[in-house]
Amino acid sequence: MKIAVVGTGYVGLVTGTCLADSGSDVTCLDIDEKKISSLKDGNIPIYEPGLEELVERNARVGRLRFTTDTNEAVAAAEIVFLAVGTPPTTSGAADLTALWSVVSSIAPYLAEDVIVVTKSTVPVGTAAKIENKLSEATGRVCHVASNPEFLKEGAAIEDFQRPDRVVVGVRTPEVAEKLRRLYSPFLRTERPFLVMSPESAEMTKYVANSLLATKISFINEVANLCERMEANVDDVRRGIGHDSRIGFSFLFPGVGYGGSCFPKDVQALTAMASERSSELTILQAVHGANLTQKQVLGNKITDYFEGNLEGRRIALWGLAFKPRTDDIRDAPSLELLDVLLAARAKVRVFDPEAMQNVQDIYGSAVEYASSPLDAVTNADALAIVTEWGDFRRPDFKALKAAMASHVIFDGRNLFDSAEMHSNGFLYHSIGRSVVDGRPKEGGSG
């Protein structure tokens, strides 16, 4: 099939590349001439494991092309995917400015039987509005479908090629069948292809992310309570996770969620409900709990140093909002950096992929280390913010020798509390009761 993908951000680039790798003829369109030129040269603007190799291979054989020419991308396309950003406005609602601009720009070039598919996360009812706008612009009925993405940053290629499910929102069986044929290479292991209305598909995306965010905020608040009641959140998690109705996924306590999806989608769904006089009070609480949780690590560090951080050397391990990405949007690390810098601490950071993105924001206000061990040299404390595999098995003897003071604030519970104490560290984590660096008797970590 001939496919056009409008937008070469995270979702658009992954979508276009994976469809090309399955045999489709794909042209990716973007108005950013610098980005398109860079992609033509084989330079990938984001870090996503496996993406660079797939782009290179499919571009080399001619199945994947990049252009700024709308006619070149769209005129011959059987399916046009819209994958432009929909950032939050100040009210939390999705900003569709870029989307409407794209709809207007592609309308004159659309083939008569083309299917336009929204891949962007958009408010419920957007597909219907696109249908109307395209019909007005072209003078004919235009098929518009919704096909929400469920890609995890750091595992996006795997998620696209081996999806849990593919959701499409359509008006006609013919459109559903064409999309089924497009996705058939990815459905060979009997993964479900779920057909519904565009409105239901649009809602599915928001509800999925909001429910996952709810699980994260819930276990974070439980963890905070565990600390105050001399319970251990690791034990509690095991105790509830073996209940098949609950499970273990997204029940890891930490310092809050970030990224481009959960914060935005929780607020957008809340805003949609409010516009229709239907308050989602649970999601309002989820969002508020997450904002509070991002302050937990900063509060622990500030309390330990009795409110005086001026001149203290604090090392940070992890800047990206999660491992295996360079994305720092709404990352908890930024909240901590702001707290430490405002208190005049000296901050030295390390992240395997996200250092340049942080440097673009903070410049010389932060020191940038060449390795995890380099970051902690002469540090008065270490804060762990992202659970990169690079941090899970450090040389504790070398770590202890490098640090000026052996205090660790672990926002991702990477280590066992008892082991850390035996290695000579004062270890603060999330949801585990600690006395003088030692777990309370009766706890397991």
Side-chain angles (χ1 to χ4, degrees):
M1 289 188 191
K2 290 188 177 295
I3 308 297
V5 179
V6 185
T8 56
Y10 187 88
V11 172
L13 189 55
V14 171
T15 297
T17 302
C18 288
L19 289 175
D21 199 54
S22 72
S24 290
D25 185 330
V26 179
T27 303
C28 291
L29 171 68
D30 204 294
I31 60 173
D32 189 331
E33 294 183 0
K34 184 177 179 181
K35 182 188 285 189
I36 290 298
S37 177
S38 183
L39 284 166
K40 286 181 175 179
D41 290 338
N43 300 315
I44 309 303
I46 58 174
Y47 174 74
E48 176 62 38
L51 181 59
E52 184 174 359
E53 294 82 357
L54 280 186
V55 170
E56 189 279 329
R57 181 169 75 229
N58 287 282
R60 175 165 33 86
V61 299
R63 283 194 302 265
L64 181 63
R65 294 175 298 280
F66 302 97
T67 185
T68 58
D69 187 327
T70 304
N71 181 48
E72 178 188 347
V74 172
E78 300 170 64
I79 301 175
V80 177
F81 283 93
L82 307 184
V84 296
T86 55
T89 62
T90 54
S91 69
D95 183 349
L96 301 185
T97 302
L99 180 70
W100 297 134
S101 177
V102 164
V103 170
S104 297
S105 69
I106 66 172
Y109 304 100
L110 293 174
E112 191 161 333
D113 58 350
V114 70
I115 300 171
V116 176
V117 181
T118 55
K119 201 71 176 172
S120 305
T121 302
V122 294
V124 178
T126 300
K129 292 179 181 178
I130 295 174
E131 287 176 359
N132 291 335
K133 287 180 179 293
L134 289 178
S135 294
E136 290 173 2
T138 63
R140 63 178 185 268
V141 174
C142 292
H143 299 293
V144 178
S146 172
N147 174 216
E149 55 86 15
F150 302 101
L151 305 178
K152 298 187 295 292
E153 292 191 39
I157 303 299
E158 175 74 13
D159 285 346
F160 197 101
Q161 295 181 335
R162 297 172 180 81
D164 292 328
R165 78 288 199 198
V166 173
V167 173
V168 297
V170 300
R171 303 287 184 204
T172 69
E174 292 78 16
V175 171
E177 181 55 32
K178 191 157 189 175
L179 292 175
R180 186 193 301 273
R181 282 191 279 116
L182 176 68
Y183 277 105
S184 60
F186 311 109
L187 301 172
R188 292 177 178 175
T189 55
E190 303 303 319
R191 295 301 188 185
F193 182 82
L194 305 176
V195 179
M196 57 190 72
S197 72
E199 290 76 17
S200 294
E202 290 163 342
M203 180 66 86
T204 295
K205 168 66 175 181
Y206 282 109
V207 172
N209 279 352
S210 295
L211 184 56
L212 296 176
T214 299
K215 293 185 73 173
I216 294 171
S217 282
F218 177 75
I219 198 64
N220 283 339
E221 292 211 312
V222 167
N224 297 339
L225 183 59
C226 283
E227 289 185 20
R228 290 161 176 77
M229 303 192 73
E230 301 184 5
N232 186 310
V233 73
D234 295 336
D235 295 334
V236 174
R237 182 177 175 274
R238 284 196 296 272
I240 65 174
H242 285 289
D243 186 325
S244 60
R245 298 168 300 175
I246 298 172
F248 288 98
S249 63
F250 288 84
L251 287 180
F252 291 92
V255 288
Y257 58 76
S260 63
C261 292
F262 286 6
K264 174 174 70 74
D265 292 353
V266 166
Q267 292 180 79
L269 186 54
T270 303
M272 277 188 277
S274 181
E275 289 168 2
R276 292 160 178 80
S277 301
S278 178
E279 300 299 319
L280 289 177
T281 55
I282 289 177
L283 288 191
Q284 293 171 13
V286 166
H287 177 63
N290 190 59
L291 294 179
T292 299
Q293 195 68 19
K294 288 183 177 181
Q295 301 171 16
V296 164
L297 214 55
N299 290 340
K300 287 178 181 286
I301 295 170
T302 301
D303 290 346
Y304 176 80
F305 288 106
E306 298 179 342
N308 182 18
L309 287 169
E310 186 170 1
R312 298 285 186 182
R313 298 191 63 86
I314 310 297
L316 259 69
W317 281 2
L319 298 168
F321 86 94
K322 63 178 288 187
R324 295 169 62 85
T325 181
D326 61 354
D327 195 343
I328 60 170
R329 285 174 288 184
D330 276 310
S333 63
L334 305 186
E335 180 81 25
L336 181 57
L337 281 173
D338 289 344
V339 168
L340 296 176
L341 293 175
R344 298 175 182 261
K346 297 179 180 179
V347 184
R348 190 167 176 82
V349 303
F350 177 79
D351 186 284
E353 295 296 337
M355 299 258 275
Q356 185 59 56
N357 290 338
V358 167
Q359 190 169 6
D360 290 344
I361 297 173
Y362 291 91
S364 60
V366 172
E367 298 177 24
Y368 304 93
S370 59
S371 69
L373 195 61
D374 181 35
V376 302
T377 301
N378 296 322
D380 294 303
L382 164 64
I384 303 173
V385 192
T386 313
E387 63 274 32
W388 282 95
D390 306 53
F391 308 149
R392 290 185 178 276
R393 296 187 179 276
D395 181 335
F396 288 117
K397 288 184 179 180
L399 185 64
K400 187 176 179 181
M403 296 180 71
S405 180
H406 309 131
V407 186
I408 295 178
F409 297 88
D410 185 355
R412 297 299 179 182
N413 288 4
L414 296 189
F415 310 124
D416 177 79
S417 298
E419 180 183 5
M420 295 304 291
H421 176 63
S422 68
N423 283 321
F425 291 94
L426 182 57
Y427 181 67
H428 299 261
S429 52
I430 307 295
R432 298 149 161 181
S433 182
V434 174
V435 175
D436 297 327
R438 295 183 299 276
K440 283 274 192 179
E441 292 184 6
S444 62

